[in-house]
Amino acid sequence: MVPRKRHRGVTKLQQDTARLPTNYSRPPKLLNNLFKNTNGHHRDYTRAQQEKGIALSISPLDSIRRTIAHRNGVTDPTVLGGAHGQGGRIENGLFPASHTAEELARIQELSQRNAGGPDSSQATRRRRERDRQPGPIHRMVNAWWNRLLGAVYGGGFSTQEAEYEDHATRRDYLWNTLGTAVWGMAFPLLTIVSTQLVGAEEAGKFSIAFVTGTLIMIACNYGVRNFQVSDIDETTSFASYQLNRWLCGALALGCGLMYSSARGYDAQMATIGLGVYLYKVIDGIADVYEGRLQQADKLYLAGMSQTLRSAGVIAVFSVALFLTRSMPIAAMAMGIAAIASLVLVTAPLALLETEKSRRVSLREVGHLFIQCAPLFGALFLFNLIESMPKFVMEGTLAYKYQLYFNALFFPAQAILLSIGFIYKPQLLRLSSIWANPRKRRRFDLIIVAVMALIVVITGACAAFMAGPGIPIMSFMYGLNFERYRTLALLMVVAGGVTAAIDFIYAIITVLRHAGDVTKIYLICFAVSVVLPVILIKLLSLMGAVVSYLAIMALLLVLLIIEYAHIRQRIERDRNPYGA
């Protein structure tokens, strides 16, 4: 008679358990309930194994097996002398040859995932989120937002302590250059984006709106920036500068809207104009706050503000146009982005980083309007003269020719910006050289050197446009500029002439005779009203380029003649008995 096996019920449950599927994703309810009852044994056994130095991961299935073994008198259900392999299966001392090593590893992985263990995806994700450090931009934005909120609830912006240093010459130059470069590149980049996304006609509408907006910005500035930054003793309060600029901005925006109405723009063009005008007016108003930072010897902060505003406007406009393919929506988004940059960055930065201003004075505001009128008149007339061919084109040619004209003008603008980067930082030094009569010859040599440099840069730009320049432009805009190669070279020459005009006018300003050139601007303005009308009707786009070059050349010649007369008068006043 075969002896009766002991623990028959245990053996049966062992066999049933060994047949459990190895690829389950969640333990059955019966196993969950059983596992709840084995927590104590699980913890005792795990602690004992850790004390023995055995590194064995515990799964719910292993806990069930060990609980069954404990109830049936098996005191050490561990691997006897290690795991014994039989035909690729693991004998663990309790269930002989029940699973392969791969199956046991899979059971362990799935059980840990279901239990939310240390190797589960949820736990890993939580650890990553907890250990992740915010990036520098994130930290900077959080710190700035906290500072803004602290100023709002802490008594005002002007009562807060400044956090940024002054007298940072290297950073001043770097950020001012970067801000000016990004600001100058905004128009070309926006026209490229517009042409690629919505075509030449819509890009031409945006171009003429931007040209008008630039004049509005000049009217908003009113030539006050140079007057403000040279007011070191603050004879005029910053509050008066602010009121003056806001009044100029409101008047300039009103004039822009009146111009749109007078031109008879439809709803689409009027909306495009409104968005661009808002951006340029905000550009002009932000200038007074950036001038305040420069006045406090923190020009680099002004450069950061200008960079952020220009880059933000480019990004918002591009994204809005890409998503909507609607120029009016993109233009309005650009204006809203400019307003947000003023409210959240530029104005708070100027108020936080400079001393509190005394109260506004209406007398000071009126004095600014009177004092800066001559400089404003000269700047506005010059830009109006420069823009007259474009305004004449608007009433004569299709809008796409606005795009072609401005695209051909951008290399010329690069010459103007390059020369400005070279000589404008040296204006204070030029003033000190001119103040010493013994250094007048040196002063003249500097003028000759800069004019020669203008010729060299113009020649290099012309050579570039004659070579790879036109194919590159065609690629960027997605248009064929090959037929406009001659016009491109003429426009480069016009750019060199414009750079020379800008430099000569700056020299006349150093001599403190800026008011003497007003009559010259009036003469050239009269010519600019008549000549483009004739040439554009005769020669179309060619007539616009030729008229622009002719007007700029006339202005340069008249300025050089006026400069020579000014020098003669100065020498005669200094030495009335000289030969």
Side-chain angles (χ1 to χ4, degrees):
M1 181 175 180
V2 180
R4 188 176 182 179
K5 294 182 181 180
R6 299 181 60 188
H7 310 299
R8 184 173 181 179
V10 175
T11 306
K12 182 68 166 62
L13 182 58
Q14 291 175 356
Q15 295 172 355
D16 293 340
T17 307
R19 287 195 292 269
L20 287 173
T22 60
N23 60 345
Y24 64 92
S25 62
R26 184 184 181 105
K29 184 176 181 180
L30 175 63
L31 293 181
N32 283 337
N33 295 334
L34 184 58
F35 181 58
K36 291 178 182 177
N37 297 327
T38 62
N39 286 340
H41 301 298
H42 182 196
R43 286 193 297 268
D44 294 340
Y45 174 74
T46 303
R47 188 181 302 111
Q49 293 298 78
Q50 290 175 349
E51 291 175 356
K52 292 179 181 181
I54 300 175
L56 183 61
S57 300
I58 306 299
S59 68
L61 187 59
D62 294 332
S63 299
I64 295 170
R65 289 169 174 169
R66 290 191 179 99
T67 301
I68 295 171
H70 179 76
R71 289 178 178 176
N72 289 279
V74 180
T75 58
D76 189 11
T78 59
V79 180
L80 301 176
H84 304 285
Q86 295 181 2
R89 296 186 175 271
I90 302 297
E91 182 177 345
N92 60 5
L94 181 61
F95 297 102
S98 59
H99 295 286
T100 65
E102 292 79 4
E103 290 172 340
L104 289 174
R106 178 63 177 168
I107 291 173
Q108 176 185 350
E109 178 186 356
L110 293 174
S111 63
Q112 287 179 341
R113 288 184 180 179
N114 293 326
D119 294 331
S120 67
S121 59
Q122 294 180 354
T124 303
R125 186 162 53 252
R126 287 195 296 269
R127 280 200 307 271
R128 288 177 180 174
E129 292 176 355
R130 184 178 63 252
D131 298 338
R132 183 183 301 155
Q133 296 295 330
I137 297 179
H138 190 199
R139 291 196 302 268
M140 182 177 65
V141 171
N142 286 340
W144 178 249
W145 185 248
N146 292 335
R147 193 179 180 193
L148 285 182
L149 293 179
V152 170
Y153 294 106
F157 291 97
S158 299
T159 60
Q160 306 299 313
E161 259 187 62
E163 295 185 3
Y164 297 101
E165 64 177 342
D166 53 6
H167 305 297
T169 306
R170 184 175 180 181
R171 277 190 288 180
D172 285 346
Y173 184 81
L174 174 64
W175 280 105
N176 184 56
T177 303
L178 180 61
T180 305
V182 176
W183 179 84
M185 289 300 296
F187 189 19
L189 289 177
L190 292 175
T191 55
I192 291 173
V193 171
S194 301
T195 308
Q196 292 285 356
L197 294 180
V198 293
E201 188 72 14
E202 292 295 306
K205 294 179 181 180
F206 174 79
S207 298
I208 189 61
F210 205 96
V211 170
T212 308
T214 301
L215 288 173
I216 292 174
M217 182 196 70
I218 294 171
C220 181
N221 288 341
Y222 200 73
V224 175
R225 175 66 178 266
N226 291 335
F227 188 87
Q228 178 188 4
V229 298
S230 60
D231 186 13
I232 301 175
D233 298 328
E234 296 190 30
T235 56
T236 302
S237 68
F238 178 56
S240 298
Y241 282 115
Q242 288 184 81
L243 180 57
N244 171 269
R245 191 60 61 90
W246 281 98
L247 289 174
C248 290
L251 291 172
L253 181 60
C255 291
L257 297 178
M258 290 174 59
Y259 174 80
S260 296
S261 177
R263 293 290 300 188
Y265 287 153
D266 57 14
Q268 183 196 33
M269 187 61 195
T271 306
I272 295 172
L274 177 60
V276 176
Y277 300 165
L278 280 175
Y279 162 51
K280 300 307 288 184
V281 166
I282 294 300
D283 223 11
I285 293 175
D287 180 75
V288 75
Y289 295 98
E290 291 163 357
R292 176 64 169 171
L293 291 168
Q294 185 179 2
Q295 192 179 23
D297 203 8
K298 296 181 179 181
L299 181 60
Y300 69 96
L301 293 180
M304 289 180 182
S305 170
Q306 188 179 38
T307 302
L308 179 62
R309 181 173 63 258
S310 302
V313 163
I314 294 171
V316 169
F317 178 89
S318 301
V319 172
L321 191 61
F322 176 78
L323 294 177
T324 65
R325 294 299 198 273
S326 172
M327 182 61 71
I329 294 177
M332 291 302 299
M334 178 172 62
I336 294 172
I339 294 173
S341 71
L342 175 67
V343 173
L344 297 178
V345 179
T346 305
L349 184 63
L351 296 175
L352 288 170
E353 290 297 324
T354 59
E355 295 181 359
K356 186 176 181 179
S357 170
R358 65 178 187 273
R359 292 185 177 182
V360 66
S361 169
L362 295 179
R363 183 183 61 82
E364 291 175 351
V365 175
H367 177 71
L368 287 174
F369 278 109
I370 296 172
Q371 188 76 14
C372 299
L375 181 59
F376 161 69
L379 290 174
F380 188 82
L381 272 176
F382 172 73
N383 283 273
L384 184 59
I385 293 167
E386 193 179 40
S387 304
M388 280 305 295
K390 304 171 188 177
F391 290 128
V392 174
M393 287 170 60
E394 186 181 13
T396 307
L397 304 178
Y399 277 112
K400 66 179 181 179
Y401 291 105
Q402 294 283 347
L403 172 68
Y404 287 122
F405 186 94
N406 285 290
L408 294 171
F409 174 73
F410 291 143
Q413 187 181 27
I415 300 174
L416 179 62
L417 291 175
S418 301
I419 296 300
F421 286 146
I422 294 171
Y423 83 81
K424 286 183 178 179
Q426 305 299 324
L427 283 178
L428 183 61
R429 184 182 177 190
L430 283 171
S431 299
S432 63
I433 293 174
W434 172 256
N436 188 347
R438 297 182 179 180
K439 296 182 178 180
R440 296 292 167 80
R441 182 174 179 81
R442 183 181 178 185
F443 184 84
D444 294 337
L445 289 176
I446 292 175
I447 294 175
V448 173
V450 174
M451 295 295 286
L453 183 61
I454 291 174
V455 174
V456 172
I457 294 178
T458 303
C461 188
F464 176 78
M465 293 304 296
I470 295 297
I472 291 175
M473 284 182 60
S474 300
F475 172 76
M476 290 191 302
Y477 285 91
L479 300 171
N480 183 16
F481 281 90
E482 190 64 36
R483 53 181 173 168
Y484 299 124
R485 184 176 290 273
T486 301
L487 296 184
L489 296 177
L490 291 177
M491 193 66 84
V492 168
V493 175
V497 173
T498 305
I501 291 171
D502 187 66
F503 176 65
I504 294 297
Y505 178 76
I507 294 299
I508 293 175
T509 304
V510 169
L511 303 183
R512 297 295 188 266
H513 284 264
D516 295 349
V517 302
T518 304
K519 61 180 181 293
I520 294 176
Y521 284 122
L522 290 174
I523 294 172
C524 290
F525 174 70
V527 175
S528 69
V529 172
V530 178
L531 186 62
V533 174
I534 299 172
L535 292 181
I536 289 174
K537 286 185 176 180
L538 292 175
L539 303 174
S540 185
L541 183 60
M542 170 72 79
V545 175
V546 171
S547 64
Y548 175 73
L549 176 57
I551 294 168
M552 291 296 104
L554 174 64
L555 181 56
L556 177 60
V557 171
L558 293 178
L559 279 178
I560 292 175
I561 294 173
E562 184 63 27
Y563 170 72
H565 290 164
I566 292 172
R567 287 294 302 268
Q568 289 177 359
R569 290 197 297 270
I570 292 174
E571 293 298 328
R572 187 165 54 247
D573 293 340
R574 188 173 69 90
N575 185 14
Y577 301 104

